[in-house]
PDB file of all heavy atoms in Angstrom:
ATOM      1  N   PHE F  27      89.598 111.762 124.365  1.00 82.00           N
ATOM      2  CA  PHE F  27      88.533 111.685 125.369  1.00 82.00           C
ATOM      3  C   PHE F  27      89.151 111.301 126.690  1.00 82.00           C
ATOM      4  O   PHE F  27      90.257 110.798 126.752  1.00 82.00           O
ATOM      5  CB  PHE F  27      87.430 110.710 124.950  1.00 82.00           C
ATOM      6  CG  PHE F  27      87.883 109.288 124.798  1.00 82.00           C
ATOM      7  CD1 PHE F  27      87.804 108.384 125.840  1.00 82.00           C
ATOM      8  CD2 PHE F  27      88.373 108.833 123.566  1.00 82.00           C
ATOM      9  CE1 PHE F  27      88.209 107.080 125.674  1.00 82.00           C
ATOM     10  CE2 PHE F  27      88.758 107.478 123.378  1.00 82.00           C
ATOM     11  CZ  PHE F  27      88.682 106.643 124.458  1.00 82.00           C
ATOM     12  N   THR F  28      88.393 111.571 127.747  1.00 78.00           N
ATOM     13  CA  THR F  28      88.829 111.236 129.090  1.00 78.00           C
ATOM     14  C   THR F  28      88.768 109.721 129.256  1.00 78.00           C
ATOM     15  O   THR F  28      87.701 109.105 129.159  1.00 78.00           O
ATOM     16  CB  THR F  28      87.936 111.896 130.155  1.00 78.00           C
ATOM     17  OG1 THR F  28      88.006 113.284 129.955  1.00 78.00           O
ATOM     18  CG2 THR F  28      88.476 111.561 131.571  1.00 78.00           C
ATOM     19  N   TRP F  29      89.928 109.095 129.493  1.00 74.00           N
ATOM     20  CA  TRP F  29      90.033 107.648 129.418  1.00 74.00           C
ATOM     21  C   TRP F  29      89.136 106.943 130.442  1.00 74.00           C
ATOM     22  O   TRP F  29      88.442 106.045 130.076  1.00 74.00           O
ATOM     23  CB  TRP F  29      91.532 107.271 129.634  1.00 74.00           C
ATOM     24  CG  TRP F  29      91.826 105.832 129.618  1.00 74.00           C
ATOM     25  CD1 TRP F  29      92.176 105.049 130.652  1.00 74.00           C
ATOM     26  CD2 TRP F  29      91.814 105.029 128.455  1.00 74.00           C
ATOM     27  NE1 TRP F  29      92.386 103.770 130.214  1.00 74.00           N
ATOM     28  CE2 TRP F  29      92.196 103.727 128.836  1.00 74.00           C
ATOM     29  CE3 TRP F  29      91.502 105.208 127.110  1.00 74.00           C
ATOM     30  CZ2 TRP F  29      92.278 102.647 127.991  1.00 74.00           C
ATOM     31  CZ3 TRP F  29      91.620 104.121 126.239  1.00 74.00           C
ATOM     32  CH2 TRP F  29      91.995 102.890 126.683  1.00 74.00           C
ATOM     33  N   ALA F  30      89.241 107.365 131.710  1.00 77.00           N
ATOM     34  CA  ALA F  30      88.431 106.719 132.733  1.00 77.00           C
ATOM     35  C   ALA F  30      86.950 107.027 132.456  1.00 77.00           C
ATOM     36  O   ALA F  30      86.575 108.128 132.086  1.00 77.00           O
ATOM     37  CB  ALA F  30      88.829 107.302 134.093  1.00 77.00           C
ATOM     38  N   GLY F  31      86.145 106.021 132.631  1.00 86.00           N
ATOM     39  CA  GLY F  31      84.728 106.180 132.420  1.00 86.00           C
ATOM     40  C   GLY F  31      84.252 105.744 131.055  1.00 86.00           C
ATOM     41  O   GLY F  31      83.125 106.022 130.651  1.00 86.00           O
ATOM     42  N   TYR F  32      85.146 105.111 130.335  1.00 93.00           N
ATOM     43  CA  TYR F  32      84.795 104.531 129.012  1.00 93.00           C
ATOM     44  C   TYR F  32      85.020 103.045 129.031  1.00 93.00           C
ATOM     45  O   TYR F  32      85.842 102.497 129.761  1.00 93.00           O
ATOM     46  CB  TYR F  32      85.632 105.126 127.920  1.00 93.00           C
ATOM     47  CG  TYR F  32      85.098 106.448 127.413  1.00 93.00           C
ATOM     48  CD1 TYR F  32      85.219 107.637 128.115  1.00 93.00           C
ATOM     49  CD2 TYR F  32      84.431 106.464 126.195  1.00 93.00           C
ATOM     50  CE1 TYR F  32      84.718 108.803 127.644  1.00 93.00           C
ATOM     51  CE2 TYR F  32      83.898 107.709 125.694  1.00 93.00           C
ATOM     52  CZ  TYR F  32      84.058 108.824 126.432  1.00 93.00           C
ATOM     53  OH  TYR F  32      83.555 110.006 125.949  1.00 93.00           O
ATOM     54  N   SER F  33      84.197 102.363 128.252  1.00 96.00           N
ATOM     55  CA  SER F  33      84.431 100.925 127.970  1.00 96.00           C
ATOM     56  C   SER F  33      84.999 100.802 126.545  1.00 96.00           C
ATOM     57  O   SER F  33      84.608 101.576 125.637  1.00 96.00           O
ATOM     58  CB  SER F  33      83.103 100.143 128.068  1.00 96.00           C
ATOM     59  OG  SER F  33      82.710  99.975 129.393  1.00 96.00           O
ATOM     60  N   ILE F  34      85.930  99.882 126.392  1.00 96.00           N
ATOM     61  CA  ILE F  34      86.554  99.616 125.097  1.00 96.00           C
ATOM     62  C   ILE F  34      86.170  98.200 124.685  1.00 96.00           C
ATOM     63  O   ILE F  34      86.371  97.268 125.524  1.00 96.00           O
ATOM     64  CB  ILE F  34      88.073  99.760 125.175  1.00 96.00           C
ATOM     65  CG1 ILE F  34      88.451 101.134 125.685  1.00 96.00           C
ATOM     66  CG2 ILE F  34      88.688  99.473 123.796  1.00 96.00           C
ATOM     67  CD1 ILE F  34      88.061 102.284 124.768  1.00 96.00           C
ATOM     68  N   GLY F  35      85.730  98.010 123.517  1.00 97.00           N
ATOM     69  CA  GLY F  35      85.369  96.699 123.035  1.00 97.00           C
ATOM     70  C   GLY F  35      86.180  96.325 121.825  1.00 97.00           C
ATOM     71  O   GLY F  35      86.678  97.199 121.065  1.00 97.00           O
ATOM     72  N   TRP F  36      86.384  95.046 121.621  1.00 98.00           N
ATOM     73  CA  TRP F  36      86.996  94.508 120.371  1.00 98.00           C
ATOM     74  C   TRP F  36      85.898  93.732 119.640  1.00 98.00           C
ATOM     75  O   TRP F  36      85.166  92.917 120.230  1.00 98.00           O
ATOM     76  CB  TRP F  36      88.171  93.590 120.713  1.00 98.00           C
ATOM     77  CG  TRP F  36      89.423  94.326 121.036  1.00 98.00           C
ATOM     78  CD1 TRP F  36      89.917  94.606 122.241  1.00 98.00           C
ATOM     79  CD2 TRP F  36      90.368  94.820 120.092  1.00 98.00           C
ATOM     80  NE1 TRP F  36      91.123  95.258 122.154  1.00 98.00           N
ATOM     81  CE2 TRP F  36      91.443  95.414 120.831  1.00 98.00           C
ATOM     82  CE3 TRP F  36      90.442  94.870 118.703  1.00 98.00           C
ATOM     83  CZ2 TRP F  36      92.535  96.020 120.215  1.00 98.00           C
ATOM     84  CZ3 TRP F  36      91.561  95.468 118.087  1.00 98.00           C
ATOM     85  CH2 TRP F  36      92.574  96.024 118.872  1.00 98.00           C
ATOM     86  N   PHE F  37      85.872  93.972 118.324  1.00 98.00           N
ATOM     87  CA  PHE F  37      84.912  93.321 117.454  1.00 98.00           C
ATOM     88  C   PHE F  37      85.624  92.789 116.252  1.00 98.00           C
ATOM     89  O   PHE F  37      86.718  93.233 115.960  1.00 98.00           O
ATOM     90  CB  PHE F  37      83.808  94.331 117.017  1.00 98.00           C
ATOM     91  CG  PHE F  37      83.108  94.983 118.187  1.00 98.00           C
ATOM     92  CD1 PHE F  37      83.726  96.040 118.876  1.00 98.00           C
ATOM     93  CD2 PHE F  37      81.892  94.555 118.593  1.00 98.00           C
ATOM     94  CE1 PHE F  37      83.110  96.630 119.974  1.00 98.00           C
ATOM     95  CE2 PHE F  37      81.249  95.132 119.682  1.00 98.00           C
ATOM     96  CZ  PHE F  37      81.891  96.162 120.375  1.00 98.00           C
ATOM     97  N   ARG F  38      85.042  91.844 115.532  1.00 98.00           N
ATOM     98  CA  ARG F  38      85.676  91.344 114.323  1.00 98.00           C
ATOM     99  C   ARG F  38      84.627  91.131 113.215  1.00 98.00           C
ATOM    100  O   ARG F  38      83.457  90.859 113.514  1.00 98.00           O
ATOM    101  CB  ARG F  38      86.453  90.064 114.618  1.00 98.00           C
ATOM    102  CG  ARG F  38      85.552  88.883 115.018  1.00 98.00           C
ATOM    103  CD  ARG F  38      86.438  87.703 115.472  1.00 98.00           C
ATOM    104  NE  ARG F  38      85.621  86.564 115.913  1.00 98.00           N
ATOM    105  CZ  ARG F  38      86.140  85.519 116.522  1.00 98.00           C
ATOM    106  NH1 ARG F  38      87.422  85.431 116.783  1.00 98.00           N
ATOM    107  NH2 ARG F  38      85.321  84.526 116.888  1.00 98.00           N
ATOM    108  N   GLN F  39      85.086  91.188 112.005  1.00 97.00           N
ATOM    109  CA  GLN F  39      84.208  91.035 110.864  1.00 97.00           C
ATOM    110  C   GLN F  39      84.897  90.347 109.726  1.00 97.00           C
ATOM    111  O   GLN F  39      86.005  90.775 109.326  1.00 97.00           O
ATOM    112  CB  GLN F  39      83.643  92.375 110.405  1.00 97.00           C
ATOM    113  CG  GLN F  39      82.563  92.304 109.346  1.00 97.00           C
ATOM    114  CD  GLN F  39      81.896  93.600 109.116  1.00 97.00           C
ATOM    115  OE1 GLN F  39      82.419  94.684 109.405  1.00 97.00           O
ATOM    116  NE2 GLN F  39      80.682  93.552 108.552  1.00 97.00           N
ATOM    117  N   ASP F  40      84.324  89.244 109.246  1.00 91.00           N
ATOM    118  CA  ASP F  40      84.799  88.569 108.056  1.00 91.00           C
ATOM    119  C   ASP F  40      83.885  89.006 106.885  1.00 91.00           C
ATOM    120  O   ASP F  40      82.702  89.287 107.104  1.00 91.00           O
ATOM    121  CB  ASP F  40      84.651  87.082 108.300  1.00 91.00           C
ATOM    122  CG  ASP F  40      85.859  86.322 107.763  1.00 91.00           C
ATOM    123  OD1 ASP F  40      86.824  86.946 107.334  1.00 91.00           O
ATOM    124  OD2 ASP F  40      85.823  85.079 107.723  1.00 91.00           O
ATOM    125  N   PRO F  41      84.416  89.026 105.667  1.00 83.00           N
ATOM    126  CA  PRO F  41      83.568  89.445 104.491  1.00 83.00           C
ATOM    127  C   PRO F  41      82.341  88.603 104.426  1.00 83.00           C
ATOM    128  O   PRO F  41      82.343  87.401 104.538  1.00 83.00           O
ATOM    129  CB  PRO F  41      84.513  89.210 103.303  1.00 83.00           C
ATOM    130  CG  PRO F  41      85.885  89.360 103.864  1.00 83.00           C
ATOM    131  CD  PRO F  41      85.788  88.822 105.251  1.00 83.00           C
ATOM    132  N   GLY F  42      81.198  89.244 104.208  1.00 85.00           N
ATOM    133  CA  GLY F  42      79.923  88.530 104.083  1.00 85.00           C
ATOM    134  C   GLY F  42      79.257  88.181 105.381  1.00 85.00           C
ATOM    135  O   GLY F  42      78.192  87.559 105.354  1.00 85.00           O
ATOM    136  N   ARG F  43      79.893  88.606 106.477  1.00 90.00           N
ATOM    137  CA  ARG F  43      79.262  88.294 107.781  1.00 90.00           C
ATOM    138  C   ARG F  43      79.116  89.591 108.559  1.00 90.00           C
ATOM    139  O   ARG F  43      79.777  90.585 108.330  1.00 90.00           O
ATOM    140  CB  ARG F  43      80.164  87.319 108.556  1.00 90.00           C
ATOM    141  CG  ARG F  43      80.374  86.004 107.851  1.00 90.00           C
ATOM    142  CD  ARG F  43      81.242  85.054 108.625  1.00 90.00           C
ATOM    143  NE  ARG F  43      80.683  84.655 109.926  1.00 90.00           N
ATOM    144  CZ  ARG F  43      81.306  83.845 110.776  1.00 90.00           C
ATOM    145  NH1 ARG F  43      82.474  83.324 110.497  1.00 90.00           N
ATOM    146  NH2 ARG F  43      80.689  83.517 111.903  1.00 90.00           N
ATOM    147  N   GLU F  44      78.235  89.532 109.562  1.00 94.00           N
ATOM    148  CA  GLU F  44      78.032  90.715 110.394  1.00 94.00           C
ATOM    149  C   GLU F  44      79.162  90.901 111.338  1.00 94.00           C
ATOM    150  O   GLU F  44      79.895  89.927 111.680  1.00 94.00           O
ATOM    151  CB  GLU F  44      76.738  90.543 111.198  1.00 94.00           C
ATOM    152  CG  GLU F  44      75.463  90.653 110.362  1.00 94.00           C
ATOM    153  CD  GLU F  44      74.239  90.711 111.194  1.00 94.00           C
ATOM    154  OE1 GLU F  44      74.386  90.600 112.475  1.00 94.00           O
ATOM    155  OE2 GLU F  44      73.150  90.906 110.651  1.00 94.00           O
ATOM    156  N   ARG F  45      79.381  92.167 111.770  1.00 95.00           N
ATOM    157  CA  ARG F  45      80.437  92.447 112.770  1.00 95.00           C
ATOM    158  C   ARG F  45      80.045  91.788 114.069  1.00 95.00           C
ATOM    159  O   ARG F  45      78.906  91.901 114.533  1.00 95.00           O
ATOM    160  CB  ARG F  45      80.593  93.917 112.907  1.00 95.00           C
ATOM    161  CG  ARG F  45      81.823  94.340 113.679  1.00 95.00           C
ATOM    162  CD  ARG F  45      82.106  95.785 113.553  1.00 95.00           C
ATOM    163  NE  ARG F  45      82.390  96.175 112.179  1.00 95.00           N
ATOM    164  CZ  ARG F  45      82.780  97.401 111.825  1.00 95.00           C
ATOM    165  NH1 ARG F  45      82.952  98.324 112.753  1.00 95.00           N
ATOM    166  NH2 ARG F  45      83.018  97.677 110.558  1.00 95.00           N
TER     167      ARG F  45
END
Side-chain angles (χ1 to χ4, degrees):
F27 62 92
T28 302
W29 181 250
Y32 275 76
S33 287
I34 305 296
W36 281 98
F37 304 80
R38 64 187 178 191
Q39 187 170 21
D40 220 8
R43 299 179 65 178
E44 290 190 356
R45 192 167 297 186

